[in-house]
């Protein structure tokens, strides 16, 4: 018999059969639920635009500050290093006080720091601003994922996870388009990209301001007020339950960090220096390198532009609802390995762009399952802090990926034929990236296969982090809490799956008439009824 970790890759049939058809669930969503989801998606999109502003501007930043590629990538490394601090700060604030205002403040901080990045004049100032920017950026993912997913029914969370994660691909695409169209036409060049990113982040903060607090958090606060809990007492409980959670789930914390380390190496290793790889190793112009980057994210069918990475994430998220989270990740990581040769071997524009599209389809497909996978395995009361910190600690470990590639390429060379037909020695980014992506893909496969899965978790029923017992494993919310915060059982903005489950529990089972066997009579005593001999 196969080991348990292999047998439970696919959810049991009865678990998959539960729930309603996807289209029916989508049709039942309220405008508030849609608003929460898309505001989380937009916040995550802004994170990508702001982050990749540096990756897409490496050559221009080299000219501006008279620095090498290795020096410029220090800004990327510092941003990734400091993101874990932001994940802790904003995650804890969100789990303690709510989803709305922490995310608004977080987005406004990003807007201010991105604006400041466009005004610096020295390289040391640029590094300082990007370090502070990393702290602000670190809070976005956990807050965006919890805002987007916790108010949705269980049946739609797989697809929603895939679409949410692809906000990062859309952000990368938008940054590349701005870099291709606006930046060359302005006298400020790379600075205009940073200023545009700042404006988009401010707009995302305004959109979140228009929406109410997360419904799940409103219910928890109302229940706590009904019990007469004070702010000071709730803070004490929060600190205590955080300690309980860390003691009970330390092994899960380590696993999540390992998983996110592999995933972040996978994404940053295939994205951060991709334009540099094309210009240095394949001798593309800056314009053609940007176009190839866009194609890696977008494939045209007639007049429609359909994001390739978005396709991968949405398809993977939808597929994970039927075959499970881990098996979906494994399938898409295997696709990455299969397309590595197409990523590095060709020299023509079309073939390399196709390789970029295929690799990113696999990378973002695997990534599309991560928001819901982390949300489901996380201690339910800490689903902003736990996934966010795990994600950003993985980012911190993988923060040197760009510098690893730059250093490796600087010490490994190959000969190519230039545009004049003459041989030219160039840095061998192709080999370096192939080795890095291949090794990391194998690591992600192993970690995923041996890891946990909590498919279909109803984490929206859990206690909030400021309630007693929240640090315990799978702590469900009390029925009394639900009734106290919602006197009416039909709340239009609640996750439909919660309403259905509660309606089932509230509906009494119909009495089944029974007929005594011959020779037996019905007896009753103390409220109990049975059949006995006459």
């Amino acid at each position: 018999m196969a080991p348990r970790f292999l047998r439970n890759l696919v959810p049991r049939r009865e678990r998959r059969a539960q729930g309603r058809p996807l289209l029916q669930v989508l049709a039942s969503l309220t405008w508030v639920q849609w608003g929460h989801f898309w505001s989380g998606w937009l916040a995550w999109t802004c994170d990508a635009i702001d982050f990749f502003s540096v990756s897409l501007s490496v050559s221009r930043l080299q000219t501006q500050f008279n620095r090498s590629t290795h020096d410029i990538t220090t800004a990327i490394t510092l941003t990734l290093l400091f993101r874990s601090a932001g994940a802790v700060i904003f995650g804890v604030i969100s789990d303690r006080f709510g989803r709305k205002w922490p995310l608004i403040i977080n987005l406004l901080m990003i807007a201010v720091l991105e604006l400041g990045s466009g005004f610096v004049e020295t390289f040391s100032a640029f590094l300082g601003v990007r370090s502070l920017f990393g702290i602000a950026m670190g809070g976005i993912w956990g807050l965006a994922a919890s805002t987007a997913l916790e108010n949705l029914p269980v049946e739609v969370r797989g697809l929603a996870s895939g679409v949410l994660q692809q906000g990062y691909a859309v952000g990368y695409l938008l940054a590349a388009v701005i870099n291709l169209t606006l930046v060359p036409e302005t006298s400020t060049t790379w600075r205009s990209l940073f200023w545009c990113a700042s404006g988009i982040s401010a707009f995302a903060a305004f959109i979140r301001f228009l929406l109410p607090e997360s419904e799940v958090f409103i219910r928890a606060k109302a229940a706590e007020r009904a019990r007469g809990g004070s702010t000071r007492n709730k803070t004490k409980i929060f600190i205590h339950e955080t300690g309980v959670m860390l003691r009970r789930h330390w092994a899960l914390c380590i696993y999540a960090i390992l998983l996110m380390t592999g995933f972040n190496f996978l994404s940053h290793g295939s994205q951060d220096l991709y334009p540099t790889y094309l210009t240095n190793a394949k001798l593309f112009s800056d314009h053609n390198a940007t176009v190839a980057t866009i194609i890696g994210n977008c494939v045209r069918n007639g007049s429609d532009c359909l994001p390739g990475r978005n396709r991968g994430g949405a398809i993977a998220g939808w597929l994970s609802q039927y075959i499970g989270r881990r098996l979906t990740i494994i399938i898409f990581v295997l696709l990455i390995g299969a397309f590595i040769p197409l990523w590095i071997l060709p020299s023509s524009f079309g073939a390399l762009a196709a390789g970029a599209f295929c690799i990113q389809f696999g990378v973002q497909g695997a990534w599309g399952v991560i928001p819901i996978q982390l949300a489901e395995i996380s201690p339910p009361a800490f689903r902003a802090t736990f996934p966010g910190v795990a994600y950003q600690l993985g980012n911190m470990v993988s923060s040197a990926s760009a510098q690893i590639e730059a250093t490796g390429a600087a010490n490994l060379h190959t000969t190519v034929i230039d545009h004049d037909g003459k041989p030219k020695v160039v840095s061998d980014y192709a080999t370096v990236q192939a080795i890095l992506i291949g090794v990391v893909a194998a690591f992600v496969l192993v970690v995923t296969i041996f890891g946990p899965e909590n498919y279909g978790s109803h984490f929206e029923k859990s206690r909030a982090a400021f309630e007693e017992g929240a640090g315990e494993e799978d702590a469900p919310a009390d029925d009394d809490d639900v009734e106290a915060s919602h006197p009416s059982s039909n709340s239009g903005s609640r996750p439909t799956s919660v309403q259905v489950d509660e309606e089932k529990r509230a509906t009494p089972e119909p009495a089944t008439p029974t007929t005594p066997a011959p020779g037996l009579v019905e007896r009753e005593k103390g409220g109990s009824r049975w059949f006995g001999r006459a």
Side-chain angles (χ1 to χ4, degrees):
M1 181 179 290
R4 183 176 181 276
F5 65 84
L6 292 178
R7 285 186 280 115
N8 66 2
L9 275 177
V10 181
R12 296 191 302 272
R13 181 179 297 274
E14 58 268 24
R15 296 185 69 183
R16 287 180 289 149
Q18 294 173 355
R20 298 157 297 153
L22 178 62
L23 293 180
Q24 181 182 342
V25 178
L26 290 174
S28 71
L29 298 182
T30 67
W31 286 107
V32 173
Q33 287 174 305
W34 281 114
H36 280 144
F37 172 76
W38 288 113
S39 67
W41 178 90
L42 182 58
W44 187 225
T45 299
C46 292
D47 187 290
I49 298 174
D50 297 331
F51 177 76
F52 287 113
S53 296
V54 174
S55 299
L56 293 167
S57 304
V58 169
S59 59
R60 292 185 174 92
L61 291 171
Q62 285 179 275
T63 303
Q64 175 72 38
F65 299 119
N66 193 27
R67 296 281 183 158
S68 66
T69 300
H70 180 276
D71 290 339
I72 298 300
T73 56
T74 303
I76 299 175
T77 301
L78 289 173
T79 298
L80 295 175
L81 278 173
F82 283 98
R83 283 169 74 163
S84 55
V88 173
I89 294 170
F90 286 100
V92 168
I93 293 174
S94 177
D95 281 332
R96 169 61 184 86
F97 295 103
R99 310 296 188 215
K100 180 176 180 177
W101 288 105
L103 183 55
I104 292 173
I105 295 171
N106 202 173
L107 286 167
L108 290 176
M109 287 181 62
I110 282 181
V112 170
L113 291 169
E114 187 74 353
L115 186 67
S117 298
F119 283 103
V120 298
E121 295 293 338
T122 65
F123 184 61
S124 57
F126 184 74
L127 292 181
V129 173
R130 297 310 291 181
S131 297
L132 292 175
F133 180 80
I135 297 176
M137 180 178 282
I140 293 292
W141 192 83
L143 273 62
S146 57
T147 297
L149 297 179
E150 69 184 7
N151 294 288
L152 294 176
V154 172
E155 300 93 333
V156 79
R157 285 177 184 163
L159 175 62
S161 172
V163 176
L164 168 68
Q165 187 61 30
Q166 300 329 296
Y168 209 65
V170 174
Y172 190 93
L173 178 62
L174 290 175
V177 170
I178 295 171
N179 188 60
L180 178 66
T181 57
L182 178 64
V183 170
E185 303 299 325
T186 60
S187 59
T188 53
T189 63
W190 61 272
R191 300 178 190 272
S192 58
L193 173 57
F194 287 77
W195 294 336
C196 283
S198 174
I200 297 172
S201 296
F203 173 73
F206 175 72
I207 294 298
R208 185 64 188 95
F209 171 77
L210 297 177
L211 293 165
E213 177 61 272
S214 170
E215 182 68 19
V216 173
F217 216 87
I218 290 175
R219 293 203 310 273
K221 284 185 174 180
E224 191 66 17
R225 283 196 300 268
R227 288 195 294 263
S230 65
T231 299
R232 183 178 180 181
N233 187 48
K234 286 192 290 186
T235 301
K236 287 183 177 180
I237 293 173
F238 176 82
I239 294 173
H240 172 73
E241 296 302 331
T242 301
V244 172
M245 182 271 292
L246 291 175
R247 288 193 297 272
R248 290 180 62 89
H249 300 291
W250 62 268
L252 183 63
C253 293
I254 294 174
Y255 168 79
I257 293 170
L258 289 175
L259 181 68
M260 298 319 299
T261 296
F263 265 89
N264 280 292
F265 262 115
L266 203 58
S267 58
H268 292 296
S270 64
Q271 296 167 11
D272 292 358
L273 290 187
Y274 182 66
T276 304
Y277 156 53
L278 294 180
T279 55
N280 287 10
K282 300 299 181 179
L283 306 182
F284 281 25
S285 65
D286 287 338
H287 179 274
N288 285 345
T290 303
V291 172
T293 299
I294 294 173
I295 293 175
N297 293 272
C298 182
V299 58
R300 291 188 176 273
N301 294 329
S303 60
D304 296 325
C305 184
L306 302 175
R309 287 161 69 185
N310 285 19
R311 279 182 166 185
I315 291 172
W318 169 80
L319 188 64
S320 74
Q321 202 68 32
Y322 298 93
I323 67 172
R325 316 303 186 197
R326 290 186 301 141
L327 183 58
T328 304
I329 291 173
I330 291 169
I331 291 172
F332 278 84
V333 172
L334 290 174
L335 284 177
I336 296 171
F339 285 114
I340 288 177
L342 187 59
W343 171 270
I344 64 169
L345 294 180
S347 297
S348 66
F349 178 88
L352 283 169
F357 174 80
C358 292
I359 285 286
Q360 293 307 327
F361 182 86
V363 170
Q364 295 303 319
W367 261 106
V369 187
I370 285 299
I372 188 60
Q373 167 69 349
L374 283 184
E376 288 180 338
I377 68 173
S378 296
F382 297 88
R383 57 185 176 275
T385 305
F386 186 93
V389 172
Y391 177 92
Q392 300 303 353
L393 285 176
N395 249 329
M396 184 178 70
V397 177
S398 67
S399 60
S401 58
Q403 288 186 304
I404 290 173
E405 290 184 350
T407 302
N411 291 279
L412 188 63
H413 299 88
T414 188
T415 302
V416 299
I417 304 300
D418 64 15
H419 302 300
D420 297 326
K422 299 179 181 179
K424 181 179 180 179
V425 177
V426 297
S427 298
D428 195 359
Y429 278 94
T431 300
V432 172
Q433 290 195 350
I435 294 173
L436 180 65
I437 295 173
V439 170
V440 172
F443 173 79
V444 170
L445 279 177
V446 173
V447 174
T448 302
I449 289 173
F450 287 95
E453 182 172 348
N454 193 18
Y455 173 85
S457 169
H458 283 269
F459 50 73
E460 76 281 356
K461 297 181 181 180
S462 68
R463 294 179 174 89
F466 55 75
E467 296 179 279
E468 292 184 356
E472 300 293 328
E473 183 177 7
D474 299 327
D478 295 332
D479 290 341
D480 292 340
D481 293 349
V482 176
E483 293 173 3
S485 58
H486 282 269
S488 172
S489 62
N490 296 322
S491 175
S493 60
R494 298 189 67 189
T496 310
S497 56
V498 180
Q499 298 178 31
V500 172
D501 288 344
E502 290 176 354
E503 288 170 4
K504 289 179 178 178
R505 289 197 299 266
T507 303
E509 292 291 334
T512 304
T514 56
T515 302
L520 298 180
V521 296
E522 187 175 8
R523 299 182 182 277
E524 181 175 359
K525 184 178 181 181
S528 301
R529 303 175 67 186
W530 71 95
F531 293 107
R533 295 187 179 276

